[in-house]
Amino acid sequence: MDEPTFRTIFEPFRIHSVEPLRMSTRAERRGYLRDAAFNLFQVRAEHVLVDLLTDSGTGAMSRDQWAAIQHGDESYAGSPSYYIFTDAVRELFPFEHVIPVHQGRAAEKILFSVIGGPGKVVPNNTHFDTTRANVEATGALAIDLPVVEGRDLSSQHPFKGNMDLAALEDLLARRAADVPCVFVTITNNSGGGQPVSLANLRGVRGICDRYGKPLFLDACRFAENAWFIREREEGQAEREVADIVRDMAALADGMTMSAKKDPMGNIGGWLAMNDDDLATACRNTLILTEGFPTYGGLAGRDLEALAQGLTEVVQHDYLRYRIRSTAYLGTALQERGIPVLSPFGGHAVYIDARALARHLDPLEYPGQAVAVALYETGGIRSCEIGTVMFGRQPDGTEAPASMDLVRLAIPRRTYTQSHIDYVIEVCEEVAANADALRGYRIVAEPKTLRHFTSSFEPRP
Ligand SMILES: *Cc1c(COP(=O)(O)O)cnc(C)c1O
């Protein structure tokens, strides 16, 4: 009752070791942009002031994670670090089998090479791009079944990441024999980091049970998802996040994980499941491509850092700070009239570049124009998620993506509130001059995943 409340977001850590950031001028950044052919993936990281390209593997490890690194045991087989790692995973996700891998896409590759194949169909609330690519690489079909609110930019639904249960039921009624498993991504990354409710997961579980199908979680941002459940779902407000995570796990038969997200690692991942035969088949594939099952492409020290990271990410002080600081950026942009997607997700704020640069046609890449301007104006690196990323069709032609967004992804525990205040100022400056932004055209592009390596030039 007499607990005072303050507006400032308290970062629940202090700085122990610093990485210098070298200031650059606008003229220098113009040169770096030309050298990179206006592709921000090609800019050297030391030429970036605030790097919001991704939250994947870019977070700061804690003192205790660095200490855990020293504890790493590099035995080829049966390292104690493996047991410390599996115990930490199973504390939250009590699956029978835990298989370490070097990052999330390796878990996907192994799982889908075992259960996918031509004629198979894998439903997901929304596939992440590597998940979709790994399903499709086996000849299977990847189907997205988000709730309608998830596709509606203006919807304020608290769980826009949910799966469309009627659509899932309909798919299984028609094609159950072709579906090897059902996937739910928590939080829904491609949908803007939007959470999935426990009620929705229970609904998916019920449908899976009726058709005898396993349910897998793509659980990269499980802790952020659990925090949203605690804040938004009926009856969850007083609960421990770790207990909510265990509830989510109990509804599933297995999971894939990129430990570069919520497990606070710079590298790593895992695949977990209850089914013994599936685990044997996956471990056999793992040995071919990743390594022996007790290290799976990671060093013992990585496994130890992840085990410690898993204890830190479910702490309420951390999650309160994490979700509030993402919302702080989103709210500030909104208050300055900059169009952003809302409600804000856990790990990123998305600027609606098509709305900000209305004079540009989607095929002039408004997202690219805004992202380049943020870099040129203030050295901020963001990521276009729009027509550059998704516009190229399989036949080589081009079509507008459904949205042209610029994602500002927030690395975990890395930037302070004053860095974010600077980002807000730079966004304001770019928005004030948005009418004058020039579009871009692609002068060279590969056949797939063109956003990483394409060369651009500004339109006249
Ligand atoms: C990052 C991510 C992956 C892939 O993980 P990597 O570690 O980058 O290979 C899969 N699914 C989701 C939802 C992700 O965010």
Side-chain angles (χ1 to χ4, degrees):
M1 294 307 122
D2 57 1
E3 185 63 29
T5 56
F6 298 104
R7 268 191 323 279
T8 307
I9 301 170
F10 190 83
E11 287 136 2
F13 48 81
R14 60 183 179 185
I15 294 162
H16 169 73
S17 160
V18 298
E19 285 182 85
L21 297 174
R22 199 189 69 81
M23 304 306 285
S24 56
T25 63
R26 188 169 188 147
E28 284 171 330
R29 292 192 293 270
R30 283 200 178 114
Y32 301 145
L33 277 170
R34 274 193 301 275
D35 294 345
F38 299 93
N39 185 330
L40 296 173
F41 283 98
Q42 303 295 324
V43 172
R44 292 172 71 134
E46 69 220 53
H47 296 156
V48 174
L49 287 177
V50 182
D51 205 342
L52 308 183
L53 186 68
T54 175
D55 66 320
S56 178
T58 53
M61 291 212 298
S62 66
R63 171 194 64 191
D64 296 338
Q65 284 183 287
W66 285 107
I69 287 228
Q70 290 297 324
H71 196 257
D73 179 301
E74 306 306 339
S75 303
Y76 189 92
S79 160
S81 300
Y82 167 75
Y83 294 99
I84 289 171
F85 166 76
T86 48
D87 285 351
V89 171
R90 296 183 62 204
E91 177 71 21
L92 291 171
F93 302 96
F95 295 117
E96 286 298 319
H97 305 279
V98 178
I99 303 173
V101 294
H102 81 278
Q103 60 182 87
R105 66 198 69 185
E108 296 164 355
K109 163 88 175 138
I110 290 168
L111 179 66
F112 294 121
S113 67
V114 173
I115 66 171
K120 298 280 172 57
V121 183
V122 179
N124 197 320
N125 48 346
T126 307
H127 287 85
F128 181 66
D129 55 7
T130 62
T131 322
R132 168 175 292 278
N134 276 303
V135 169
E136 290 174 348
T138 71
L141 187 65
I143 295 190
D144 292 342
L145 302 174
V147 285
V148 288
E149 291 86 351
R151 298 189 200 261
D152 175 2
L153 286 192
S154 62
S155 165
Q156 295 299 306
H157 192 281
F159 291 104
K160 283 172 87 171
N162 280 353
M163 186 172 242
D164 183 336
L165 298 181
L168 177 65
E169 176 91 51
D170 178 62
L171 175 73
L172 284 164
R174 286 183 293 110
R175 300 196 59 177
D178 301 330
V179 175
C181 75
V182 174
F183 250 84
V184 176
T185 305
I186 55 172
T187 60
N188 186 344
N189 183 3
S190 309
Q194 300 293 334
V196 175
S197 68
L198 273 178
N200 188 254
L201 274 178
R202 281 193 207 101
V204 174
R205 174 79 259 168
I207 295 171
C208 287
D209 284 344
R210 278 207 295 293
Y211 290 90
K213 297 297 171 188
L215 168 60
F216 270 69
L217 302 175
D218 177 346
C220 300
R221 298 185 182 77
F222 69 94
E224 293 171 10
N225 199 91
W227 183 260
F228 282 124
I229 286 174
R230 186 175 186 274
E231 285 200 321
R232 298 180 184 174
E233 193 160 353
E234 173 103 36
Q236 303 295 323
E238 303 301 324
R239 298 190 64 208
E240 279 296 318
V241 159
D243 288 329
I244 297 175
V245 173
R246 284 185 275 268
D247 281 2
M248 301 192 297
L251 290 165
D253 302 290
M255 68 190 295
T256 57
M257 176 66 104
S258 168
K260 303 175 73 172
K261 319 288 170 53
D262 273 352
M264 302 280 199
N266 299 124
I267 196 70
W270 67 86
L271 173 60
M273 70 274 290
N274 288 328
D275 187 295
D276 298 337
D277 295 337
L278 179 61
T280 303
C282 288
R283 286 202 174 101
N284 290 340
T285 310
L286 178 88
I287 292 178
L288 277 182
T289 60
E290 290 278 299
F292 190 73
T294 61
Y295 71 86
L298 293 171
R301 54 179 170 268
D302 299 326
L303 296 170
E304 297 255 1
L306 297 178
Q308 175 60 28
L310 283 173
T311 68
E312 295 173 8
V313 74
V314 292
Q315 290 173 12
H316 291 193
D317 285 349
Y318 162 72
L319 283 166
R320 185 176 296 109
Y321 140 79
R322 170 76 174 158
I323 300 301
R324 277 192 68 196
S325 49
T326 303
Y328 174 80
L329 172 59
T331 306
L333 299 186
Q334 217 168 32
E335 284 169 0
R336 285 159 182 77
I338 299 170
V340 286
L341 299 198
S342 68
F344 310 120
H347 68 294
V349 172
Y350 296 71
I351 298 176
D352 182 350
R354 201 177 282 175
L356 185 61
R358 283 187 193 285
H359 61 294
L360 296 179
D361 185 85
L363 295 181
E364 297 176 321
Y365 312 139
Q368 179 70 12
V370 171
V372 169
L374 288 172
Y375 177 73
E376 189 195 305
T377 307
I380 294 164
R381 177 151 68 173
S382 57
C383 185
E384 191 263 13
I385 300 195
T387 304
V388 172
M389 195 178 270
F390 300 120
R392 190 184 157 103
Q393 307 299 302
D395 64 3
T397 60
E398 238 194 347
S402 59
M403 295 185 256
D404 278 292
L405 305 175
V406 171
R407 184 183 69 186
L408 306 169
I410 320 288
R412 294 170 180 74
R413 306 188 292 206
T414 303
Y415 293 111
T416 63
Q417 189 161 342
S418 38
H419 288 118
I420 298 300
D421 285 334
Y422 171 81
V423 170
I424 293 163
E425 270 191 83
V426 175
C427 289
E428 202 172 6
E429 171 83 10
V430 168
N433 300 303
D435 294 346
L437 288 176
R438 287 196 288 169
Y440 280 82
R441 77 182 193 88
I442 292 180
V443 289
E445 64 179 296
K447 285 195 171 61
T448 55
L449 297 173
R450 67 177 181 176
H451 51 288
F452 292 126
T453 54
S454 288
S455 304
F456 298 84
E457 68 182 21
R459 287 175 178 269

